[in-house]
Every structure is written in C-alpha cells, then in structure tokens.
C-alpha cells in the first residue's frame, strides 16, 4: 500500500513538471475599425467625412433628376417665347474642347455637365435671368410636379388604407363612407341637369303641326 502511494505521488509530480505555469499578466491589444486597403486610419476618416458632407447637400428623398438643377417646363416655355432660352443639344468632346480653349464650361449644357440651368455652378459665368415662375418653382412649386401617382399628378394610391377617403362626409378616417337616407348615385341625366330620360329632348308635335 505504501509502495502504491509513493508511485502515485511520483507520477503526479512528473505530470506537473511538463505543464506550463499559468501567468496572470495579459498582453494588451488595441482595437481598430475597418480600414480599406490603400488607406491609413487618418486618411480613411477624412474620406468618410468628405463623403458625409456630399450627402448633406443631396436630397435623397426627392423625386426627379439628381445630377443637375433644372427649371420648370412653364418657365422654360416662357423664356423660349421671349427669346431668352433655346433648346439645348449635347456637345461632343466637351472636356477636350474646354482644355483646348475652344469651348467655355458654361457653353456645355447644364444637364451634360451636371450643373444648374442658370449657370450658377460655373464661377465667373454670366447668370441667366430668373422669371417670376422660376422663383415660385424654387420656393416650393416644384413639389406639385414631383408626384408619385400613377396618374402623373396628385397623391399616389393609398396602399396602406390609412388616408382619409374623398367623397361623402365620414366621421371616422379611412372608414367606409356613409350615405344619406335620400342619397342617389349620380348618373348621366343628373349631370345634364334633367330628372329622367327625354326631358332634355324637344317634345314631338302631333303630325308635326301642333
């Protein structure tokens, strides 16, 4: 029995001799965010800040073109009739011609260069005259033309069923309309202002004489 205890103790000591003593100290590591290849941490932060500034200037929720600032069709037609505007056509090799001095930047159509119709995006260029319709359009009138309706104008379809319905008066929004007791659906004759068929036609005379 004594011999067995001595052998067990020797085996336990031999196993502990091969074990690495645990250390309480931990290696300190610093955590960094994602940095793409070709960027340093500082240059990537500056790049993200620059992109965020660009997004602030864009109306991502707007409807219509985003790459250039246009005027309304009404304003363009008025200016066209007054001889202050003309139809714009694309210019080929525009950038090369600008570098050669053959073409000015403001002579490139604003939709092609991604600018504004009044040349306000070109430094030193002559600004085009604003009409009263341009001012009304810029002050909020453009929202009338930014419709998402399938009919091209007005509110879109009420897909959620939460919009107040038009028609007879209702007490609960979005509820089925309640018609009056004597309500009659309109028809062709009521729209003509007659009560029944034939009231809007001249009466026939007996034998065509009286």
């Amino acid at each position: 029995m004594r011999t067995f205890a001595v052998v067990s103790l020797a085996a336990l000591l031999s196993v502990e001799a091969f074990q690495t003593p645990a250390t309480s100290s931990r290696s300190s590591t610093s955590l960094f965010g994602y940095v793409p290849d070709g960027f340093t941490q500082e240059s990537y932060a500056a790049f993200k800040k620059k992109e965020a500034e660009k997004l602030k200037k864009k109306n991502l929720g707007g409807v219509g073109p985003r790459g250039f600032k246009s005027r309304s069709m009404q304003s363009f037609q008025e200016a066209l009739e007054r001889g202050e505007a003309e139809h714009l056509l694309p210019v080929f090799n525009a950038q090369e011609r600008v570098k050669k001095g053959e073409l000015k930047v403001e002579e490139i159509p604003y939709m092609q260069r991604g600018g504004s119709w009044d040349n306000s995006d070109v430094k030193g260029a002559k600004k085009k005259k604003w009409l009263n319709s341009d001012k009304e359009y810029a002050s909020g009138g453009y929202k009338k033309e930014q419709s998402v309706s399938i009919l091209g104008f007005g509110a879109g379809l009420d897909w959620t069923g939460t919009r107040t319905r038009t028609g007879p008066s209702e007490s609960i929004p979005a509820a089925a309309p309640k018609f009056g007791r004597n309500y009659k659906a309109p028809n062709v004759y009521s729209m003509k202002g007659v009560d029944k068929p034939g009231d809007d036609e001249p009466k026939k005379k007996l034998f065509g004489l009286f």
Side-chain angles (χ1 to χ4, degrees):
M1 186 69 178
R2 184 176 181 182
T3 305
F4 177 76
V6 173
V7 172
S8 300
L9 180 62
L12 180 62
L13 293 175
S14 62
V15 171
E16 292 180 352
F18 287 99
Q19 291 181 348
T20 304
T23 57
S24 59
S25 61
R26 295 182 179 180
S27 58
S28 60
T29 58
S30 56
L31 300 178
F32 296 97
Y34 170 74
V35 179
D37 293 338
F39 285 95
T40 63
Q41 187 178 5
E42 292 76 14
S43 62
Y44 186 52
F47 173 77
K48 291 193 295 183
K49 183 178 179 181
K50 184 178 180 180
E51 291 297 313
E53 293 295 330
K54 290 181 180 180
L55 290 177
K56 289 181 180 179
K57 300 178 181 180
K58 295 182 178 180
N59 181 17
L60 298 180
V63 180
R66 304 173 190 266
F68 54 87
K69 185 178 180 181
S70 184
R71 68 197 309 188
S72 66
M73 180 60 68
Q74 176 184 350
S75 301
F76 172 74
Q77 189 65 32
E78 291 178 3
L80 187 66
E81 293 175 356
R82 297 170 58 169
E84 299 175 356
E86 59 183 0
H87 293 284
L88 302 177
L89 299 175
V91 178
F92 296 98
N93 303 322
Q95 298 299 333
E96 296 179 3
R97 294 177 60 185
V98 169
K99 292 179 181 179
K100 294 179 180 179
E102 301 176 357
L103 189 71
K104 295 181 179 179
V105 178
E106 58 267 28
E107 294 176 347
I108 304 175
Y110 68 92
M111 290 178 285
Q112 182 177 350
R113 70 171 186 263
S116 178
W117 69 269
D118 60 352
N119 292 334
S120 58
D121 59 300
V122 182
K123 186 177 181 180
K126 183 180 179 181
K127 304 298 185 294
K128 294 185 178 180
K129 181 181 178 181
W130 278 48
L131 305 177
N132 291 332
S133 55
D134 288 314
K135 298 176 182 178
E136 294 176 359
Y137 184 76
S139 62
Y142 63 92
K143 295 181 179 179
K144 296 180 181 179
E145 298 183 6
Q146 293 184 344
S147 172
V148 293
S149 172
I150 60 174
L151 302 177
F153 187 81
L157 294 178
D158 186 17
W159 299 106
T160 60
T162 56
R163 189 186 308 153
T164 303
R165 300 180 183 179
T166 59
S169 60
E170 55 186 50
S171 57
I172 303 176
K178 296 180 179 180
F179 301 97
R181 180 176 298 177
N182 299 325
Y183 174 79
K184 292 183 180 180
N187 52 39
V188 177
Y189 303 104
S190 63
M191 299 173 95
K192 290 182 178 180
V194 296
D195 296 333
K196 57 183 179 179
D199 289 352
D200 58 336
E201 298 177 359
K203 294 182 179 181
K204 295 182 180 180
K205 298 180 180 181
L206 183 59
F207 303 113
L209 299 177
F210 54 88

